[in-house]
PDB file of all heavy atoms in Angstrom:
ATOM      1  N   GLY Z 166      72.212  95.690 102.748  1.00  0.00           N
ATOM      2  CA  GLY Z 166      70.926  95.949 102.011  1.00  0.00           C
ATOM      3  C   GLY Z 166      70.785  95.255 100.708  1.00  0.00           C
ATOM      4  O   GLY Z 166      69.756  94.630 100.442  1.00  0.00           O
ATOM      5  N   PRO Z 167      71.815  95.294  99.814  1.00  0.00           N
ATOM      6  CA  PRO Z 167      71.660  94.674  98.481  1.00  0.00           C
ATOM      7  C   PRO Z 167      71.341  93.227  98.473  1.00  0.00           C
ATOM      8  O   PRO Z 167      70.965  92.724  97.436  1.00  0.00           O
ATOM      9  CB  PRO Z 167      73.053  94.935  97.880  1.00  0.00           C
ATOM     10  CG  PRO Z 167      73.655  96.115  98.637  1.00  0.00           C
ATOM     11  CD  PRO Z 167      73.134  95.997  99.951  1.00  0.00           C
ATOM     12  N   TYR Z 168      71.439  92.513  99.565  1.00  0.00           N
ATOM     13  CA  TYR Z 168      71.131  91.064  99.624  1.00  0.00           C
ATOM     14  C   TYR Z 168      69.592  90.923  99.621  1.00  0.00           C
ATOM     15  O   TYR Z 168      69.127  89.846  99.328  1.00  0.00           O
ATOM     16  CB  TYR Z 168      71.697  90.343 100.805  1.00  0.00           C
ATOM     17  CG  TYR Z 168      73.277  90.190 100.841  1.00  0.00           C
ATOM     18  CD1 TYR Z 168      73.992  90.927 101.741  1.00  0.00           C
ATOM     19  CD2 TYR Z 168      73.863  89.402  99.918  1.00  0.00           C
ATOM     20  CE1 TYR Z 168      75.380  90.843 101.819  1.00  0.00           C
ATOM     21  CE2 TYR Z 168      75.232  89.298  99.882  1.00  0.00           C
ATOM     22  CZ  TYR Z 168      75.973  90.040 100.824  1.00  0.00           C
ATOM     23  OH  TYR Z 168      77.337  89.897 100.767  1.00  0.00           O
ATOM     24  N   PHE Z 169      68.862  92.036  99.963  1.00  0.00           N
ATOM     25  CA  PHE Z 169      67.411  91.911 100.095  1.00  0.00           C
ATOM     26  C   PHE Z 169      66.807  92.429  98.791  1.00  0.00           C
ATOM     27  O   PHE Z 169      67.125  93.512  98.348  1.00  0.00           O
ATOM     28  CB  PHE Z 169      66.915  92.745 101.301  1.00  0.00           C
ATOM     29  CG  PHE Z 169      67.416  92.128 102.656  1.00  0.00           C
ATOM     30  CD1 PHE Z 169      68.747  92.287 103.033  1.00  0.00           C
ATOM     31  CD2 PHE Z 169      66.570  91.428 103.497  1.00  0.00           C
ATOM     32  CE1 PHE Z 169      69.186  91.770 104.222  1.00  0.00           C
ATOM     33  CE2 PHE Z 169      67.005  90.808 104.624  1.00  0.00           C
ATOM     34  CZ  PHE Z 169      68.281  91.044 105.018  1.00  0.00           C
ATOM     35  N   ASP Z 170      65.794  91.750  98.271  1.00  0.00           N
ATOM     36  CA  ASP Z 170      65.260  92.079  96.930  1.00  0.00           C
ATOM     37  C   ASP Z 170      63.927  92.661  97.154  1.00  0.00           C
ATOM     38  O   ASP Z 170      62.874  91.847  97.364  1.00  0.00           O
ATOM     39  CB  ASP Z 170      65.305  90.815  96.012  1.00  0.00           C
ATOM     40  CG  ASP Z 170      64.775  91.168  94.617  1.00  0.00           C
ATOM     41  OD1 ASP Z 170      64.363  92.279  94.414  1.00  0.00           O
ATOM     42  OD2 ASP Z 170      64.833  90.272  93.782  1.00  0.00           O
ATOM     43  N   PRO Z 171      63.698  93.936  96.988  1.00  0.00           N
ATOM     44  CA  PRO Z 171      62.391  94.584  97.200  1.00  0.00           C
ATOM     45  C   PRO Z 171      61.327  93.976  96.247  1.00  0.00           C
ATOM     46  O   PRO Z 171      60.178  93.879  96.625  1.00  0.00           O
ATOM     47  CB  PRO Z 171      62.629  96.050  97.029  1.00  0.00           C
ATOM     48  CG  PRO Z 171      64.035  96.243  96.468  1.00  0.00           C
ATOM     49  CD  PRO Z 171      64.739  94.972  96.549  1.00  0.00           C
ATOM     50  N   LYS Z 172      61.752  93.508  95.097  1.00  0.00           N
ATOM     51  CA  LYS Z 172      60.775  92.980  94.097  1.00  0.00           C
ATOM     52  C   LYS Z 172      60.163  91.730  94.651  1.00  0.00           C
ATOM     53  O   LYS Z 172      59.115  91.298  94.257  1.00  0.00           O
ATOM     54  CB  LYS Z 172      61.509  92.742  92.756  1.00  0.00           C
ATOM     55  CG  LYS Z 172      61.787  93.895  91.977  1.00  0.00           C
ATOM     56  CD  LYS Z 172      62.132  93.540  90.541  1.00  0.00           C
ATOM     57  CE  LYS Z 172      63.172  94.560  89.965  1.00  0.00           C
ATOM     58  NZ  LYS Z 172      64.522  94.045  89.848  1.00  0.00           N
ATOM     59  N   LYS Z 173      60.870  91.053  95.540  1.00  0.00           N
ATOM     60  CA  LYS Z 173      60.325  89.859  96.247  1.00  0.00           C
ATOM     61  C   LYS Z 173      59.708  90.121  97.454  1.00  0.00           C
ATOM     62  O   LYS Z 173      59.442  89.213  98.275  1.00  0.00           O
ATOM     63  CB  LYS Z 173      61.463  88.766  96.419  1.00  0.00           C
ATOM     64  CG  LYS Z 173      62.020  88.233  95.071  1.00  0.00           C
ATOM     65  CD  LYS Z 173      63.027  87.085  95.400  1.00  0.00           C
ATOM     66  CE  LYS Z 173      63.671  86.564  94.109  1.00  0.00           C
ATOM     67  NZ  LYS Z 173      64.987  86.197  94.259  1.00  0.00           N
ATOM     68  N   GLY Z 174      59.539  91.438  97.838  1.00  0.00           N
ATOM     69  CA  GLY Z 174      58.979  91.835  99.126  1.00  0.00           C
ATOM     70  C   GLY Z 174      59.938  91.774 100.240  1.00  0.00           C
ATOM     71  O   GLY Z 174      59.508  91.832 101.422  1.00  0.00           O
ATOM     72  N   GLU Z 175      61.289  91.623  99.892  1.00  0.00           N
ATOM     73  CA  GLU Z 175      62.152  91.492 101.131  1.00  0.00           C
ATOM     74  C   GLU Z 175      62.678  92.929 101.525  1.00  0.00           C
ATOM     75  O   GLU Z 175      62.922  93.846 100.701  1.00  0.00           O
ATOM     76  CB  GLU Z 175      63.441  90.749 100.581  1.00  0.00           C
ATOM     77  CG  GLU Z 175      63.129  89.215 100.243  1.00  0.00           C
ATOM     78  CD  GLU Z 175      64.264  88.586  99.580  1.00  0.00           C
ATOM     79  OE1 GLU Z 175      65.332  89.205  99.310  1.00  0.00           O
ATOM     80  OE2 GLU Z 175      64.084  87.366  99.261  1.00  0.00           O
ATOM     81  N   LYS Z 176      62.757  92.984 102.860  1.00  0.00           N
ATOM     82  CA  LYS Z 176      63.222  94.269 103.441  1.00  0.00           C
ATOM     83  C   LYS Z 176      64.218  93.964 104.551  1.00  0.00           C
ATOM     84  O   LYS Z 176      63.955  93.083 105.356  1.00  0.00           O
ATOM     85  CB  LYS Z 176      61.997  94.996 103.957  1.00  0.00           C
ATOM     86  CG  LYS Z 176      62.299  96.438 104.388  1.00  0.00           C
ATOM     87  CD  LYS Z 176      60.946  97.242 104.653  1.00  0.00           C
ATOM     88  CE  LYS Z 176      61.217  98.579 105.127  1.00  0.00           C
ATOM     89  NZ  LYS Z 176      61.387  98.777 106.466  1.00  0.00           N
ATOM     90  N   MET Z 177      65.402  94.623 104.546  1.00  0.00           N
ATOM     91  CA  MET Z 177      66.411  94.343 105.535  1.00  0.00           C
ATOM     92  C   MET Z 177      65.914  94.847 106.861  1.00  0.00           C
ATOM     93  O   MET Z 177      65.650  96.050 107.045  1.00  0.00           O
ATOM     94  CB  MET Z 177      67.647  94.985 105.173  1.00  0.00           C
ATOM     95  CG  MET Z 177      68.859  94.737 106.145  1.00  0.00           C
ATOM     96  SD  MET Z 177      70.358  95.329 105.652  1.00  0.00           S
ATOM     97  CE  MET Z 177      71.299  95.302 107.154  1.00  0.00           C
ATOM     98  N   PRO Z 178      66.002  93.946 107.881  1.00  0.00           N
ATOM     99  CA  PRO Z 178      65.620  94.460 109.237  1.00  0.00           C
ATOM    100  C   PRO Z 178      66.647  95.428 109.775  1.00  0.00           C
ATOM    101  O   PRO Z 178      67.806  95.421 109.339  1.00  0.00           O
ATOM    102  CB  PRO Z 178      65.699  93.140 110.099  1.00  0.00           C
ATOM    103  CG  PRO Z 178      65.657  92.049 109.158  1.00  0.00           C
ATOM    104  CD  PRO Z 178      66.251  92.577 107.834  1.00  0.00           C
ATOM    105  N   ASN Z 179      66.220  96.408 110.494  1.00  0.00           N
ATOM    106  CA  ASN Z 179      67.194  97.355 111.040  1.00  0.00           C
ATOM    107  C   ASN Z 179      67.595  97.099 112.423  1.00  0.00           C
ATOM    108  O   ASN Z 179      68.344  97.820 113.121  1.00  0.00           O
ATOM    109  CB  ASN Z 179      66.786  98.859 110.848  1.00  0.00           C
ATOM    110  CG  ASN Z 179      65.383  99.074 111.539  1.00  0.00           C
ATOM    111  OD1 ASN Z 179      64.966  98.236 112.311  1.00  0.00           O
ATOM    112  ND2 ASN Z 179      64.817 100.178 111.223  1.00  0.00           N
ATOM    113  N   ARG Z 180      67.263  95.827 112.925  1.00  0.00           N
ATOM    114  CA  ARG Z 180      67.672  95.407 114.223  1.00  0.00           C
ATOM    115  C   ARG Z 180      68.215  93.956 114.191  1.00  0.00           C
ATOM    116  O   ARG Z 180      67.759  93.238 113.260  1.00  0.00           O
ATOM    117  CB  ARG Z 180      66.545  95.425 115.260  1.00  0.00           C
ATOM    118  CG  ARG Z 180      66.107  96.897 115.650  1.00  0.00           C
ATOM    119  CD  ARG Z 180      65.238  96.951 116.872  1.00  0.00           C
ATOM    120  NE  ARG Z 180      64.167  96.037 116.794  1.00  0.00           N
ATOM    121  CZ  ARG Z 180      63.519  95.553 117.821  1.00  0.00           C
ATOM    122  NH1 ARG Z 180      63.946  95.801 119.029  1.00  0.00           N
ATOM    123  NH2 ARG Z 180      62.520  94.672 117.728  1.00  0.00           N
ATOM    124  N   ALA Z 181      69.009  93.630 115.081  1.00  0.00           N
ATOM    125  CA  ALA Z 181      69.621  92.260 115.119  1.00  0.00           C
ATOM    126  C   ALA Z 181      69.917  91.888 116.561  1.00  0.00           C
ATOM    127  O   ALA Z 181      69.957  92.746 117.436  1.00  0.00           O
ATOM    128  CB  ALA Z 181      70.915  92.263 114.327  1.00  0.00           C
ATOM    129  N   LEU Z 182      70.140  90.636 116.753  1.00  0.00           N
ATOM    130  CA  LEU Z 182      70.684  90.071 118.024  1.00  0.00           C
ATOM    131  C   LEU Z 182      72.104  89.706 117.819  1.00  0.00           C
ATOM    132  O   LEU Z 182      72.447  89.136 116.691  1.00  0.00           O
ATOM    133  CB  LEU Z 182      69.860  88.807 118.366  1.00  0.00           C
ATOM    134  CG  LEU Z 182      68.413  88.855 118.493  1.00  0.00           C
ATOM    135  CD1 LEU Z 182      67.893  87.514 118.941  1.00  0.00           C
ATOM    136  CD2 LEU Z 182      67.995  89.962 119.490  1.00  0.00           C
ATOM    137  N   THR Z 183      73.013  90.107 118.660  1.00  0.00           N
ATOM    138  CA  THR Z 183      74.383  89.818 118.445  1.00  0.00           C
ATOM    139  C   THR Z 183      75.070  89.449 119.797  1.00  0.00           C
ATOM    140  O   THR Z 183      74.755  90.044 120.885  1.00  0.00           O
ATOM    141  CB  THR Z 183      75.118  90.978 117.802  1.00  0.00           C
ATOM    142  OG1 THR Z 183      76.437  90.594 117.609  1.00  0.00           O
ATOM    143  CG2 THR Z 183      75.129  92.277 118.611  1.00  0.00           C
ATOM    144  N   MET Z 184      76.054  88.542 119.780  1.00  0.00           N
ATOM    145  CA  MET Z 184      76.900  88.356 120.893  1.00  0.00           C
ATOM    146  C   MET Z 184      77.536  89.765 121.145  1.00  0.00           C
ATOM    147  O   MET Z 184      77.819  90.446 120.191  1.00  0.00           O
ATOM    148  CB  MET Z 184      78.111  87.471 120.492  1.00  0.00           C
ATOM    149  CG  MET Z 184      77.814  86.031 120.597  1.00  0.00           C
ATOM    150  SD  MET Z 184      79.405  85.130 120.296  1.00  0.00           S
ATOM    151  CE  MET Z 184      78.850  83.579 119.746  1.00  0.00           C
TER     152      MET Z 184
END
Side-chain angles (χ1 to χ4, degrees):
Y168 292 112
F169 294 78
D170 185 354
K172 285 195 214 105
K173 291 185 183 146
E175 295 172 356
K176 191 167 178 271
M177 181 174 163
N179 55 15
R180 290 195 308 156
L182 305 182
T183 183
M184 279 186 202

